[in-house]
Amino acid sequence: MAKETHEFQAETKQLLNLMINSIYTNREIFLRELISNASDAIDKLHFASLTNKEILEGNNDYEIFLVPDKDSHTLTISDNGIGMNREEMVENLGTIAKSGTKAFLEQLKKEKEENTEFSDNLIGQFGVGFYSAFMVAEKVTVVSRRAGEKEAFRWESAGDGSYTLEECEKDSRGTTITITLGKDFYGDKAEENYTDNWTLQSLVKKYSDYVRYPIKMNFEVEETPKDKDGKVIEGAETIKKTEVRTLNSMQPLWTKNKSEITKEDYSKFLKNQFHEWEEPMEVFHNKAEGTVEYTSLLYIPAKAPFNLYHTDYEPGIQLYSRHVFIMDKCKDLLPDYLGFVKGLVDSPDLSLNISRELLQQSKELKTIGKNMEKTILKSLEKKLSKDREGYEKFWAEFGKSLKIGIYNSMFTGNDIINKLKELLLFVSSKDGKNVSLKEYVERMPESQKKIYYATGTDQATIEKLPQMELLKEKGIEVLYLLDPVDEFAIEAIRTYADKEFQSISRGDLDLDDAESQEVKKETEELAKTNDDLIKDIKEALGDKVAEVKVSARLKSSAVCLVADAQGPSLSMEHTFAAMDNPMFKAKRILEINPHHALFERLKTLHNAGKDSQDFKDYCDLLYTQALIIEGIMPENPVDFANKIAELMAK
Ligand code: ADP
């Protein structure tokens, strides 16, 4: 057959043009693409050999060989896979039929239309196979012989719109791709030198370590001659030798049988692959063979990364398809709240040539993600019931994530909320230890109708809150919500085992025992008899407070500030303000203890005249005290201090 020249299909031309002229920096992925094609070709041959042994012609030593050549500045990648005949070369290397590639071009067109910058990682996101060789090549030569056929063919192109095709000699089956490297990709001054053994070795480690077939390369080594006893012979010249080395470790840890993997193997893998330093807290290794086939190897690390809750933290799971690395940090697999989970998923049902955008919509990915989430939650549930100490360690590191998960699922996932609420722990007023909601409800007395909680920055401050006194006296257990996100999570849960949550600083306490009912009645009466006083305190305070009330919850303290049952609490208001969202204000209610000596003093001052400066000052001081107890800075501290000083001097 004489040498023929063929034009590339229009779309292929477009793609090639892009490859050659792109300002794309991550060109190194071409090697991954070619190696993964070679590995696929061996897969195909192996598959064919299952029904037709002859096709192997007695050779089933599958391998991929890399040959860098510094003199001719070429890099050759050869495989002894299925190979291609003439028609296949025209079809596979001259046209684009792949949906992934088409989608890639469409995306690119869109970006151009929208006039956005050519995005750097676009090619990386897609994986564009064979043509990526043109990112580093001046010329690409493919010599291939289809297994079981005699003729071999040479395909060659400089990526300039056409390629040539001719018959040639090749004594073994398979494909040999020779890349004549562009000037930036060989030599000492190269951006990246693809004729350098060490560069190639590290790229194989990075992208193709788990390819199932050996990726080999020759290394020149120098050996010092040794005598019979293995001692170095003095003065003897070193001998240069060529040694064939396999660059990849081949069997991915996750494809091994669980029984063959030790704890150390898992831990070593986590450290090597995910830059962790400590032993993992939890390892999940699962193979699934349902509607979607996949293997997942996931870890909960020992420590939360320092920036886990900052915007610069990048969560995500690695994706592999048939052991070939597709993507790092895929965010679409697990929900945000499991962002601390590390690991990978390997599924033949995920395509190598797929964009992030397409992945997001991938049904397979969604199924895998859902299953993995279920596995993780189930195992945490088990840990909580079987290994309390271990669970508490987990909780200390990642508890906040689960609470955020609840809050984020508020409008979407009742199912998830129901699972996550079983995993919550709160510090209890009973013993200062962690308690789950289930444990709380189980040990609460029958007369108690609600689950009580208090918010604050630390245990000691909450314990001293005036609102706590009555509950302590009655022996009612209170959950301490020490993180601002806690109260938001509680809001999202709404009830647990049909019991409502009740903040000790919001609305009425609704205590049901006989004594409390008595106090309630008495308070109502006191409120009636002191109606004028209460109204005038409110008037003196103006719109600083929404309401002034005679309190039924205070024991030894004179005042406290609570929020209305509807609307945000004071601590939520604080959180909103910290997030630059000061719109959400708690409705403040000032409660005054009618049994406190100060109440009598107020009455006296009131009787003397509600417009007197003394009465107004007292009201103001009371309110400011209540603010301070809640940890809220008074608007005018100087004014407050001056008034106290005056009072002390009297
Ligand atoms: P993809 O690998 O996604 O199919 P490529 O553009 O990388 O897309 O390759 C196109 C086709 O060329 C492959 O599907 C395969 O049929 C053929 N091909 C590429 N490399 C080889 C190879 N080393 N051996 C045999 N066939 C190959």
Side-chain angles (χ1 to χ4, degrees):
M1 175 192 126
K3 190 167 177 171
E4 300 170 353
T5 302
H6 296 247
E7 286 284 303
F8 281 115
Q9 169 209 33
E11 275 163 330
T12 315
K13 266 192 204 168
Q14 235 179 315
L15 183 60
L16 279 171
N17 218 338
L18 198 107
M19 289 292 171
I20 295 160
N21 300 315
S22 85
I23 46 152
Y24 185 63
T25 48
N26 196 23
R27 293 168 193 254
E28 63 188 30
I29 58 130
F30 84 93
L31 190 64
R32 170 193 83 173
E33 297 294 322
L34 297 186
I35 287 176
S36 109
N37 278 352
S39 155
D40 285 350
I42 300 175
D43 272 346
K44 282 180 199 157
L45 176 70
H46 182 70
F47 189 71
S49 77
L50 298 177
T51 48
N52 172 18
K53 232 179 165 31
E54 272 81 66
I55 202 169
L56 293 176
E57 291 168 5
N59 176 8
N60 65 352
D61 286 336
Y62 303 129
E63 64 176 21
I64 297 163
F65 223 102
L66 305 185
V67 183
D69 186 328
K70 287 190 162 54
D71 300 328
S72 62
H73 35 89
T74 57
L75 170 64
T76 300
I77 297 136
S78 57
D79 65 70
N80 54 4
I82 190 94
M84 283 176 277
N85 58 27
R86 186 183 177 280
E87 287 68 42
E88 284 166 334
M89 276 180 148
V90 172
E91 176 65 23
N92 296 334
L93 308 182
T95 57
I96 298 176
K98 302 293 293 187
S99 56
T101 318
K102 275 211 172 114
F104 169 75
L105 285 171
E106 269 155 28
Q107 176 70 18
L108 191 81
K109 226 172 104 198
K110 208 170 108 212
E111 289 205 6
K112 277 211 175 122
E113 272 164 15
E114 285 167 7
N115 233 349
T116 45
E117 289 269 306
F118 178 71
S119 71
D120 229 23
N121 53 3
L122 202 54
I123 296 172
Q125 284 173 11
F126 282 80
V128 273
F130 172 73
Y131 302 107
S132 62
F134 287 98
M135 292 197 291
V136 298
E138 244 167 29
K139 187 172 76 183
V140 177
T141 311
V142 182
V143 172
S144 193
R145 200 182 106 186
R146 168 98 196 181
E149 295 182 17
K150 292 245 162 348
E151 304 82 23
F153 296 89
R154 175 185 290 114
W155 178 105
E156 196 163 80
S157 176
D160 52 2
S162 66
Y163 61 90
T164 60
L165 200 61
E166 65 187 315
E167 203 171 331
C168 67
E169 291 293 314
K170 186 176 190 306
D171 47 17
S172 57
R173 67 157 188 257
T175 304
T176 296
I177 299 181
T178 302
I179 298 172
T180 305
L181 293 161
K183 63 175 177 346
D184 291 336
F185 306 105
Y186 65 86
D188 293 341
K189 294 216 179 81
E191 291 172 20
E192 183 86 326
N193 185 354
Y194 300 119
T195 57
D196 179 66
N197 276 26
W198 304 107
T199 304
L200 294 168
Q201 181 175 25
S202 77
L203 288 180
V204 169
K205 270 268 162 239
K206 181 168 173 189
Y207 291 111
S208 315
D209 194 42
Y210 302 112
V211 168
R212 259 173 298 189
Y213 307 105
I215 303 165
K216 296 180 178 171
M217 189 161 62
N218 286 335
F219 280 75
E220 299 300 329
V221 288
E222 290 189 4
E223 217 172 67
T224 27
K226 291 182 184 142
D227 64 16
K228 270 188 277 163
D229 305 326
K231 275 202 191 127
V232 174
I233 301 169
E234 297 260 336
E237 271 194 35
T238 54
I239 310 166
K240 284 197 173 144
K241 265 178 53 178
T242 302
E243 191 178 280
V244 182
R245 287 188 196 160
T246 298
L247 308 178
N248 53 333
S249 65
M250 272 187 290
Q251 191 178 12
L253 182 71
W254 64 89
T255 62
K256 287 189 184 172
N257 258 333
K258 277 194 203 179
S259 57
E260 292 168 32
I261 309 176
T262 63
K263 218 175 142 210
E264 283 68 41
D265 292 334
Y266 280 129
S267 152
K268 202 175 130 209
F269 186 75
L270 172 73
K271 290 175 189 170
N272 282 338
Q273 190 95 352
F274 301 102
H275 311 287
E276 282 291 324
W277 295 92
E278 291 187 50
E279 304 298 306
M281 190 171 322
E282 209 71 40
V283 182
F284 313 93
H285 184 189
N286 289 309
K287 268 193 181 63
E289 274 158 0
T291 37
V292 188
E293 195 184 313
Y294 70 90
T295 302
S296 60
L297 176 55
L298 303 177
Y299 293 88
I300 297 180
K303 289 258 147 43
F306 72 96
N307 59 349
L308 182 57
Y309 304 111
H310 292 135
T311 44
D312 63 353
Y313 178 71
E314 264 198 277
I317 302 296
Q318 285 188 344
L319 292 188
Y320 288 77
S321 176
R322 295 176 208 281
H323 324 327
V324 177
F325 176 76
I326 313 180
M327 186 192 289
D328 202 9
K329 300 193 180 297
C330 171
K331 292 184 192 67
D332 310 309
L333 204 59
L334 288 175
D336 290 349
Y337 76 87
L338 291 178
F340 57 85
V341 174
K342 305 233 154 148
L344 57 90
V345 169
D346 186 354
S347 168
D349 298 330
L350 295 175
S351 161
L352 259 183
N353 284 354
I354 195 160
S355 71
R356 273 180 199 275
E357 287 75 15
L358 293 176
L359 256 181
Q360 266 173 2
Q361 296 152 19
S362 146
K363 239 175 57 202
E364 289 79 15
L365 201 76
K366 282 209 175 85
T367 312
I368 298 174
K370 276 266 163 269
N371 287 349
M372 292 194 335
E373 183 183 9
K374 256 192 231 154
T375 309
I376 295 168
L377 292 185
K378 220 187 231 153
S379 110
L380 287 176
E381 214 175 294
K382 198 166 142 205
K383 200 175 175 72
L384 174 60
S385 64
K386 299 254 154 58
D387 167 23
R388 181 61 172 236
E389 199 185 322
Y391 187 81
E392 296 221 1
K393 271 193 196 140
F394 162 80
W395 183 253
E397 291 297 324
F398 304 108
K400 187 182 177 127
S401 294
L402 302 193
K403 291 183 277 195
I404 292 174
I406 289 181
Y407 180 65
N408 287 346
S409 312
M410 187 147 79
F411 304 110
T412 53
N414 253 331
D415 253 19
I416 290 300
I417 293 185
N418 285 337
K419 284 196 180 115
L420 287 176
K421 69 184 179 189
E422 298 298 341
L423 295 170
L424 297 179
L425 291 182
F426 296 102
V427 174
S428 158
S429 64
K430 219 173 187 91
D431 47 15
K433 291 188 181 146
N434 278 324
V435 63
S436 72
L437 292 175
K438 188 162 168 243
E439 291 158 347
Y440 179 99
V441 169
E442 271 169 9
R443 68 192 188 198
M444 99 192 201
E446 209 159 308
S447 61
Q448 190 184 327
K449 297 281 177 285
K450 292 186 167 179
I451 301 170
Y452 291 95
Y453 69 86
T455 52
T457 47
D458 60 275
Q459 199 173 327
T461 315
I462 295 182
E463 271 164 6
K464 287 194 196 109
L465 280 178
Q467 293 94 316
M468 271 301 288
E469 212 175 345
L470 179 69
L471 292 155
K472 239 191 262 170
E473 194 185 273
K474 288 189 179 294
I476 292 175
E477 184 172 11
V478 177
L479 301 175
Y480 293 164
L481 275 49
L482 303 175
D483 190 313
V485 71
D486 292 358
E487 203 175 11
F488 289 91
I490 291 286
E491 287 275 305
I493 299 174
R494 289 198 198 98
T495 60
Y496 182 86
D498 292 333
K499 309 271 186 293
E500 279 176 37
F501 289 93
Q502 172 67 54
S503 160
I504 65 159
S505 308
R506 254 164 113 182
D508 283 325
L509 283 182
D510 266 347
L511 293 169
D512 237 17
D513 58 307
E515 193 195 357
S516 300
Q517 294 298 339
E518 193 82 3
V519 173
K520 200 173 165 192
K521 226 191 264 160
E522 183 204 357
T523 312
E524 275 164 14
E525 264 158 38
L526 278 169
K528 249 184 239 157
T529 44
N530 292 290
D531 190 34
D532 279 350
L533 171 67
I534 297 298
K535 256 198 228 140
D536 291 335
I537 298 175
K538 161 74 182 108
E539 201 183 297
L541 290 174
D543 50 12
K544 284 179 189 158
V545 294
E547 203 181 336
V548 178
K549 263 179 153 175
V550 175
S551 183
R553 78 181 92 207
L554 293 174
K555 300 297 287 182
S556 60
S557 311
V559 280
C560 74
L561 203 59
V562 298
D564 188 55
Q566 273 79 47
S569 69
L570 288 161
S571 59
M572 284 165 109
E573 173 186 311
H574 187 73
T575 309
F576 281 128
M579 294 189 309
D580 248 357
N581 209 346
M583 266 154 47
F584 298 93
K585 283 246 184 262
K587 235 171 125 186
R588 291 161 157 72
I589 300 171
L590 183 73
E591 290 198 4
I592 304 179
N593 184 354
H595 305 295
H596 198 280
L598 236 157
F599 194 69
E600 289 307 313
R601 183 92 179 103
L602 271 172
K603 270 197 214 167
T604 318
L605 287 169
H606 184 246
N607 285 339
K610 70 173 176 114
D611 294 322
S612 74
Q613 195 55 42
D614 272 358
F615 177 67
K616 283 183 184 159
D617 282 353
Y618 264 65
C619 291
D620 215 41
L621 284 173
L622 264 184
Y623 169 70
T624 313
Q625 275 179 46
L627 278 184
I628 291 172
I629 292 169
E630 283 301 316
I632 303 170
M633 185 73 173
E635 262 169 47
N636 196 340
V638 178
D639 204 29
F640 176 65
N642 286 344
K643 275 183 187 153
I644 297 247
E646 267 170 42
L647 209 67
M648 287 166 87
K650 263 186 192 167

